[in-house]
Structures are given as C-alpha cells and as structure tokens.
Amino acid sequence: MRTRSGLLAGVILAVCGAGVAQSSAARQVHVIEVLADKDSRYKIAGQARPEITVGAGEPILLRITARKAKTWNRDGSIHGFSLLRAKDRSKVDGWDLLLKPGTKEFQMTAPQEPGEYVVVCTVICSEEHEGMFLKFVVTP
Ligand SMILES: [Cu+2]
C-alpha cells in the first residue's frame, strides 16, 4: 500500500515535471528584425515609424541587417545599435552593438526596468547619422 501510493506520487511528479519542461521549451524567444539601412535609418517591416516594444527581462533574438551608408569606422563597422535610457541617455550594459555589412543575430535580454529607451547609431554613417535612432519601450 505504502509502496503503491509512493509510486503514484512519483508518477504525478514526473508528469508535472514534464509539463513544466514542455511549457518552458515552448516559450518563444521574441524575434525582432531590424534593417540598419544605407540611408542612415533603422527600419522594421510593416512599420512606418519603427518602434520596438519588449517585456522587462524578456529574451530577445535581434536579427539585424546592415547596409553600408556613406561613411564607416576604420574597423569596418558601418552602423551601431546602442540602447540608451531615454530619461538621461545613459547606456544600457551589454547593448552596445557594432554592425558589419550583412545580417547577424544577437541574443539579448530586455532591460529589467520598464520605461522608455532609445536605440542610437554610434557610427558616423553619413550626414544623416544624427537622425538614426529608434524608440524602444520596455513594458512591465
Ligand atoms: Cu548609422
């Protein structure tokens, strides 16, 4: 009797454990595709005024395609992708990306602090460089 109920408890635990494992595996990473274009603008398909919205602390796969504008860095970087807090323009750790021509994926984690942020280009890519930014919102 004792053995049997112990076995039953074991089976229930195993089933619950499997359920948890399955749901975390099924949880999808937020994929965001951005074009850092040759006219010194960030673009997102389907958005006239591109904006990124993510959940606090959420895992993100950033897939960025960069196209060369007029000028670039000596190291071959043609655009940057740096995340700043909108309130004081301070940099967010780990979000200072430099882009080479072509498409690259970056595994990122959204900031833990909800609020408004801005993505800016850190490479002087043309006379339009100062206009190369993107609104980035972190929701709770
Ligand atoms: Cu740029």
Side-chain angles (χ1 to χ4, degrees), residues 38-106:
K38 57 181 187 286
D39 59 356
S40 295
R41 289 294 177 270
Y42 294 114
K43 294 170 189 174
I44 296 177
Q47 295 189 20
R49 303 185 79 210
E51 188 176 318
I52 292 173
T53 302
V54 298
E58 149 178 80
I60 299 167
L61 182 72
L62 263 183
R63 186 177 296 137
I64 309 178
T65 298
R67 291 180 182 154
K68 208 180 252 186
K70 287 182 184 150
T71 54
W72 46 88
N73 281 0
R74 198 176 294 223
D75 71 355
S77 303
I78 58 170
H79 293 292
F81 191 101
S82 249
L83 190 62
L84 312 179
R85 294 171 187 88
K87 58 181 181 206
D88 58 5
R89 311 233 357 135
S90 60
K91 278 192 177 179
V92 177
D93 281 346
W95 279 84
D96 196 6
L97 311 176
L98 284 170
L99 310 172
K100 301 265 167 85
T103 302
K104 196 177 167 194
E105 293 186 345
F106 302 88

Side-chain angles (χ1 to χ4, degrees), residues 36-37 40-42 69 78-80 121-126 129 132:
D37 213 354
S40 295
R41 289 294 177 270
Y42 294 114
I78 58 170
H79 293 292
C121 180
T122 50
V123 173
I124 309 295
C125 50
S126 75
H129 162 74
M132 188 163 183

